[in-house]
């Protein structure tokens, strides 16, 4: 048994991350934490970055625009919920440090939220997650020389102005929007 690793969450509860279980998960803690975590480590260009909560709503709505099954839309909505407990570590930092998200925390959060979908569903969520990232990047920064070296090929084919409009829409969505989507999709999934 490993030593306890304590974190205090928004509800005031102390949670041992080393022994994290579904009973440690509370939706209000997730919503509070994700609404305060900014994407891209807070770096931005033209607009404030979306929070992880706003990014999650965008990801779910992109799945809905694609007429994805409600279970896939729900998975898209909660795909980053575990980050409420471990933070949002960007891909470049994961690559640099070899950081891997603790599987037991990710699984416990998914179990608590009723999101125990097959690996194929989580793989399908990545398409919408990448599409959301494309919107966020295009909204933040004007295209520049060498972008193709750093940015993956376009998933959506959106212009910068279209991405800006979408980003701006989600920038003004908060916890109430997320809770409404969560209730609707949880009941449908």
């Amino acid at each position: 048994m490993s030593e306890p690793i304590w974190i205090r969450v928004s509800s005031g509860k102390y949670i041992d991350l080393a022994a994290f279980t579904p009973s440690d998960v509370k939706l209000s803690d997730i919503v509070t934490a994700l609404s305060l975590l900014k994407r891209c480590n807070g770096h931005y260009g033209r607009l404030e970055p979306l929070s992880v909560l706003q990014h999650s709503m965008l990801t779910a709505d992109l799945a809905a625009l694609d007429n994805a099954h409600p279970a896939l839309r729900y998975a898209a909505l909660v795909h980053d919920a575990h980050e409420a407990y471990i933070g949002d570590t960007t891909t470049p930092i994961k690559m640099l440090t070899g950081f891997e998200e603790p599987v037991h925390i990710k699984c416990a959060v998914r179990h608590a939220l009723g999101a125990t979908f097959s690996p194929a569903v989580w793989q399908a969520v990545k398409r919408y997650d990448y599409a959301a990232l494309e919107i966020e990047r295009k909204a933040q920064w004007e295209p520049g020389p060498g972008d193709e070296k750093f940015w993956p090929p376009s998933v959506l084919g959106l212009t910068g102005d279209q991405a800006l409009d979408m980003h701006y829409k989600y920038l003004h969505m908060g916890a109430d929007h997320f809770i409404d989507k969560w209730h609707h999709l949880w009941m449908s999934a």
Side-chain angles (χ1 to χ4, degrees):
M1 187 82 159
S2 61
E3 290 290 317
I5 302 170
W6 298 103
I7 182 176
R8 192 169 194 184
V9 293
S10 301
S11 61
K13 181 179 178 182
Y14 285 97
I15 295 173
D16 178 6
L17 292 177
F20 194 89
T21 68
S23 65
D24 293 320
V25 177
K26 190 171 179 184
L27 185 61
S28 62
D29 288 332
I30 291 171
V31 170
T32 300
L34 296 185
S35 68
L36 297 171
L37 282 174
K38 292 295 183 184
R39 299 268 296 154
C40 305
N41 281 344
H43 295 284
Y44 67 97
R46 297 186 277 195
L47 291 174
E48 178 182 338
L50 296 181
S51 69
V52 175
L53 191 81
Q54 293 161 335
H55 162 80
S56 297
M57 290 186 282
L58 171 59
T59 305
D61 287 350
L62 290 171
L65 287 172
D66 201 27
N67 293 314
H69 187 277
L72 180 53
R73 287 185 266 168
Y74 182 62
L77 183 68
V78 300
H79 78 281
D80 284 338
H82 61 285
E83 292 179 0
Y85 302 97
I86 64 168
D88 180 24
T89 305
T90 63
T91 300
I93 298 303
K94 289 177 187 175
M95 292 167 63
L96 178 68
T97 64
F99 173 78
E100 292 188 26
E101 295 174 333
V103 174
H104 73 287
I105 293 176
K106 187 182 275 192
C107 289
V109 171
R110 288 178 177 176
H111 179 79
L113 297 177
T116 53
F117 302 114
S118 71
V121 170
W122 294 111
Q123 186 63 36
V125 167
K126 287 184 179 186
R127 178 176 186 273
Y128 305 110
D129 191 25
Y130 290 140
L133 177 60
E134 178 183 345
I135 288 168
E136 292 168 86
R137 285 179 170 174
K138 284 185 174 179
Q140 290 300 325
W141 294 280
E142 296 277 349
D147 281 351
E148 65 281 349
K149 179 180 174 185
F150 300 101
W151 292 13
S154 176
V155 176
L156 302 172
L158 292 176
T159 67
D161 287 341
Q162 290 170 315
L164 224 108
D165 289 344
M166 290 185 83
H167 183 99
Y168 191 73
K169 171 186 170 187
Y170 286 88
L171 193 56
H172 296 286
M173 287 187 182
D176 291 343
H177 288 94
F178 183 90
I179 295 293
D180 289 346
K181 282 183 190 302
W182 185 85
H183 281 293
H184 173 74
L185 291 172
W186 183 74
M187 298 298 285
S188 309

